[in-house]
Amino acid sequence: MVDVQFLGLLNATLQAATLLFIASLGELITEKSGILNLGVEGMISIGAVTGFMTAVNTNNIFLAIVVGILSSSIFASLHAIVTVILKQDQTVSGLILTILGLAVSSLLGKNYVGRKLETKIDSLFTIENPSNVLEVFLSQNIIFYLAIIFTITISYILKNTMFGTRFQAVGEDSKAADSMGLNVSKTQFIATCIGGAFAGLSGVYLTLSYVPYWTDNMTAGRGWIALALVIFGGWKPYRTALGALLFGFLEALVPRLQTYGFELNPYIVKITPYIITILVLVMLTIYKGGKTGAPKNIGIPFFRENR
Amino acid sequence: MNKYILTKRQVVNELSTFYSFLLGFLIALMIGSIILLIQDKNPFDTFSLMFKLSIGSVNSLSSSLNKATPLILAGLGIAIINTVKLWNIGAEGQIFMGAIAVNLIYINFQLTNSTSFIFVLLVSAFIGGAFCILIPAITKVLFGVNEIITTLLTNYIVIGLTIYLVNGPWKDPGSLNFPAAAYVGKEVYLPTIFGKLSYGFLICILFTVFAHYLKNSSVFGYEMRIAGGSEMTAIYAGINAKQKAFFAMLIGGGFAGLAGGVELLSQTHRVSTGISQGFGYTAIIVAAITGMRPIGIFLVGSLFGALSIGGSVIQTIGVSTYIADIIQASTLFGALVIQFFFNYKLKRADDG
């Protein structure tokens, strides 16, 4: 017999990790193309609210997922227009995307606060009370498995295909990529929208499965932790996944510490994930001594000189 | 086929930031109107009501300027830190920390002379804000840890700390439904100049002038600009870039902390989660929209203060307060779009 508490912890870890991981994988793709998008928090929020609204009104989960992904992706295209086409500052634009995203989703969702969902995202197998590790894994919902498939495919594409190499060339040295005949702006635009789509999926997972309701600011900084995870993972999908598991574990563990006999103030417990994120980020930066593995052109607008 | 190519303009209009802001604001008002139309509200009536209730009378005008005070102070702090090309996304947390510092000093020390006590409390607010950015500043200059993420995450930590304090050690038993610390005594309230206008606004004017001087005319400002430029230039000029960055961050954090202190002593009079309603985030918009210019921050901050007051009063006719937030954020987006046309021009490819 495996400890029931342990299984609960494992289950919560996987769920929290999925949420963080999908958003950070999207950001990884965007950053690989040389575009920094600090708007993850806002994009997750847009996906979360539009997905939730669709699910409440239509009871169609599939449609809700599609709507959440599309709306976040369209929202991210704002960042693409401002930074890729109009060559404006990526930091400013990304921050505004977060502020605007949170405000717009609060406006959209104000009549949906407290509404109940009729349906949730389906699990792969319906297992009422998982009794072993395998059953915990099998009881995860489809988005968890999608995340695994994404990791494998994206890592493979980036490492082993011509397309992946070209894609990364855009983020490493856009001038060289341009002279090789690659369309830098188009690549960056699409990569930003894909980043938005992933954030949207993560948002949909948040409101349709992880905590099935909607309130204002419910993303609670997860978008920023996702950004930290990309740095943590050194812009590599598998390491980012590992980071997400670690943070998912912490998010799951901290509220459970009491059951393991630790007396903790619940208000202090709530802020530990943020403290740990900072600690990990600091330790990692020291350990790597400044060599982070970031795409070299990140944050620099590509401007083809007049020829 | 006509192909257009993009060229950078050699000379950019000096007032381009100002024009971009004006046009951006118009774009934002249009976006706001569309949202209002969707909600079956007349945009013209709504905006004129917002206008009337935010600057139409002495009382409403002073409320608007009181609201602008924390925005401006925090925005100035962001601008000072940006002189060394670093970002402070943690103004929200620093505002809370400033208020926490005020209350901490208030409940532990008592001065009989209330004027000097207020002064001490405001200084502690400044130190509180600087303390709040200490970890991001140290880790940035020593190890190069991304300050955008560390300052942002401190917001969640400090707001969490505030919730802990007002539900635990500082909980006022009198505040039943809304957890808050006890009110500070009337003797440390910031007095009003006229109407409702608090002396906080005067502090705000003084610090705008100070920030303008610090950034543009002082030796430290000059050194900060060099430190924020190329590493080699700083080495040739014999400037310790890391030291300048460190102090710029602490001063900028202090400005935001002061905003929290002023807010507590002039408006809320107690520590609660209501100390700031996203002032630290709006301050980022204010600072970015003006190209980090202190005088501009003062003017745009005042306008946005009025917008927030207007936004909160139109709730009574059933319009969401988020409309003000959306107008503020859209203004910056619009301004970024317009700025593009000042910096670049499109040329037909077949011309050259």
Side-chain angles (χ1 to χ4, degrees):
Chain A
M1 270 306 287
V2 190
D3 183 17
V4 179
Q5 271 184 358
F6 169 76
L7 290 178
L9 180 66
L10 178 68
N11 186 37
T13 301
L14 294 179
Q15 287 184 351
T18 308
L19 181 68
L20 290 171
F21 176 65
I22 293 175
S24 52
L25 195 60
E27 181 65 16
L28 186 146
I29 295 171
T30 307
E31 292 192 9
K32 275 281 183 194
S33 80
I35 298 290
L36 174 70
N37 188 353
L38 296 178
V40 187
E41 182 89 357
M43 299 188 299
I44 297 179
S45 198
I46 291 283
V49 75
T50 51
F52 188 77
M53 287 162 71
T54 318
V56 167
N57 288 323
T58 64
N59 274 331
N60 184 337
I61 287 291
F62 179 73
L63 187 68
I65 295 176
V66 172
V67 167
I69 289 174
L70 276 183
S71 47
S72 277
S73 180
I74 293 167
F75 188 63
S77 73
L78 265 180
H79 183 68
I81 292 169
V82 171
T83 62
V84 178
I85 299 179
L86 303 179
K87 327 241 172 265
Q88 300 295 326
D89 192 287
Q90 295 175 12
T91 310
V92 174
S93 174
L95 287 172
I96 297 313
L97 208 64
T98 286
I99 297 172
L100 192 64
L102 292 175
V104 168
S105 49
S106 297
L107 183 73
L108 287 174
K110 76 174 162 134
N111 296 327
Y112 290 83
V113 176
R115 293 279 287 271
K116 278 219 169 68
L117 266 185
E118 301 290 325
T119 46
K120 273 175 71 170
I121 297 175
D122 280 332
S123 302
L124 206 56
F125 300 96
T126 348
I127 299 165
E128 282 295 320
N129 292 306
S131 59
N132 59 41
V133 175
L134 183 70
E135 283 186 7
V136 171
F137 272 92
L138 290 177
S139 68
Q140 294 303 311
N141 71 34
I142 36 178
I143 294 184
F144 170 77
Y145 290 97
L146 266 183
I148 294 176
I149 296 168
F150 283 144
T151 320
I152 297 167
T153 353
I154 289 167
S155 179
Y156 179 82
I157 291 175
L158 287 176
K159 255 193 228 155
N160 302 327
T161 66
M162 193 51 136
F163 173 79
T165 316
R166 284 181 173 161
F167 180 77
Q168 292 184 71
V170 171
E172 288 294 330
D173 189 344
S174 46
K175 289 229 161 68
D178 181 57
S179 55
M180 272 161 61
L182 302 178
N183 191 335
V184 174
S185 298
K186 194 174 151 194
T187 311
Q188 292 184 330
F189 199 103
I190 294 172
T192 308
C193 293
I194 292 177
F198 275 84
L201 182 62
S202 159
V204 170
Y205 183 80
L206 179 66
T207 43
L208 299 188
S209 170
Y210 191 64
V211 274
Y213 58 81
W214 165 258
T215 58
D216 284 1
N217 298 327
M218 65 183 295
T219 40
R222 289 196 181 87
W224 294 99
I225 294 179
L227 273 163
L229 277 177
V230 179
I231 302 175
F232 178 90
W235 287 264
K236 292 188 173 70
Y238 285 115
R239 282 198 211 168
T240 308
L242 204 68
L245 275 175
L246 177 70
F247 277 89
F249 173 69
L250 289 170
E251 197 178 323
L253 176 73
V254 169
R256 286 179 166 74
L257 279 175
Q258 209 139 21
T259 57
Y260 293 109
F262 293 93
E263 280 299 323
L264 285 170
N265 184 301
Y267 299 107
I268 297 298
V269 161
K270 276 210 170 124
I271 60 178
T272 41
Y274 309 110
I275 296 175
I276 291 167
T277 310
I278 293 181
L279 279 178
V280 169
L281 203 59
V282 171
M283 288 192 298
L284 196 82
T285 316
I286 296 171
Y287 173 71
K288 293 207 170 158
K291 287 191 206 85
T292 51
K296 287 197 183 56
N297 262 22
I298 196 155
I300 305 164
F302 169 66
F303 175 66
R304 189 192 241 174
E305 292 295 328
N306 189 13
R307 281 175 298 179
Chain B
M1 196 183 104
N2 284 329
K3 215 175 166 205
Y4 288 91
I5 50 170
L6 208 56
T7 50
K8 247 184 192 149
R9 283 183 202 268
Q10 297 299 320
V11 185
V12 177
N13 192 321
E14 275 182 24
L15 289 171
S16 66
T17 319
F18 177 67
Y19 295 136
S20 305
F21 163 71
L22 278 188
L23 290 169
F25 190 57
L26 281 180
I27 294 172
L29 285 182
M30 280 192 271
I31 294 172
S33 307
I34 293 169
I35 297 173
L36 287 170
L37 282 174
I38 294 171
Q39 298 184 325
D40 276 333
K41 297 279 181 322
N42 183 333
F44 186 77
D45 290 352
T46 313
F47 286 140
S48 51
L49 186 69
M50 278 173 80
F51 187 79
K52 211 181 101 197
L53 294 176
S54 58
I55 52 175
S57 68
V58 175
N59 253 346
S60 55
L61 181 66
S62 38
S63 305
S64 293
L65 293 179
N66 286 339
K67 192 73 143 186
T69 303
L71 290 182
I72 296 169
L73 285 172
L76 294 171
I78 291 165
I80 288 171
I81 296 176
N82 196 260
T83 321
V84 287
K85 294 283 170 293
L86 295 178
W87 282 94
N88 175 21
I89 317 298
E92 184 79 356
Q94 290 142 24
I95 291 172
F96 276 97
M97 202 50 136
I100 289 174
V102 166
N103 202 46
L104 185 72
I105 300 300
Y106 178 79
I107 53 181
N108 287 310
F109 301 93
Q110 289 288 335
L111 278 184
T112 40
N113 182 336
S114 68
T115 316
S116 45
F117 196 30
I118 290 175
F119 181 76
V120 168
L121 291 178
L122 289 176
V123 170
S124 43
F126 192 94
I127 295 170
F131 173 76
C132 187
I133 204 174
L134 194 61
I135 301 284
I138 291 173
T139 54
K140 177 74 203 183
V141 298
L142 288 188
F143 315 117
V145 180
N146 186 325
E147 86 286 357
I148 294 177
I149 294 176
T150 49
T151 51
L152 186 281
L153 290 173
T154 46
N155 289 345
Y156 291 98
I157 297 172
V158 178
I159 293 169
L161 177 71
T162 312
I163 296 173
Y164 162 70
L165 286 171
V166 298
N167 281 292
W170 286 357
K171 188 173 166 55
D172 175 20
S175 65
L176 292 172
N177 297 320
F178 183 61
Y183 286 101
V184 294
K186 282 222 166 55
E187 73 280 3
V188 292
Y189 283 18
L190 273 178
T192 52
I193 305 173
F194 61 81
K196 284 186 196 164
L197 186 64
S198 154
Y199 262 95
F201 190 65
L202 193 69
I203 296 173
C204 177
I205 295 175
L206 288 176
F207 272 78
T208 307
V209 177
F210 173 60
H212 181 80
Y213 166 77
L214 192 71
K215 245 181 102 93
N216 300 317
S217 315
S218 72
V219 176
F220 183 65
Y222 172 74
E223 289 174 337
M224 281 198 297
R225 280 202 299 280
I226 300 221
S230 97
E231 204 179 322
M232 291 315 278
T233 320
I235 293 171
Y236 280 128
I239 288 168
N240 186 342
K242 288 185 168 175
Q243 187 201 47
K244 303 300 165 208
F246 182 72
F247 285 116
M249 284 181 93
L250 290 199
I251 294 171
F255 269 65
L258 182 66
V262 168
E263 188 68 8
L264 188 145
L265 295 181
S266 70
Q267 305 300 321
T268 65
H269 304 304
R270 60 174 176 175
V271 173
S272 73
T273 50
I275 284 286
S276 170
Q277 298 113 37
F279 297 145
Y281 298 107
T282 313
I284 298 170
I285 303 182
V286 173
I289 221 166
T290 59
M292 306 288 170
R293 293 176 180 84
I295 308 290
I297 290 170
F298 180 79
L299 297 173
V300 175
S302 304
L303 175 76
F304 277 19
L307 250 179
S308 299
I309 289 287
S312 57
V313 290
I314 55 167
Q315 257 183 313
T316 46
I317 60 160
V319 179
S320 168
T321 49
Y322 294 110
I323 211 95
D325 290 353
I326 291 173
I327 289 176
Q328 288 164 352
S330 309
T331 304
L332 181 46
F333 254 135
L336 285 176
V337 173
I338 304 296
Q339 187 69 44
F340 166 79
F341 293 101
F342 281 107
N343 293 340
Y344 297 90
K345 63 182 171 190
L346 285 170
K347 229 170 69 175
R348 276 245 187 94
D350 52 16
D351 284 359

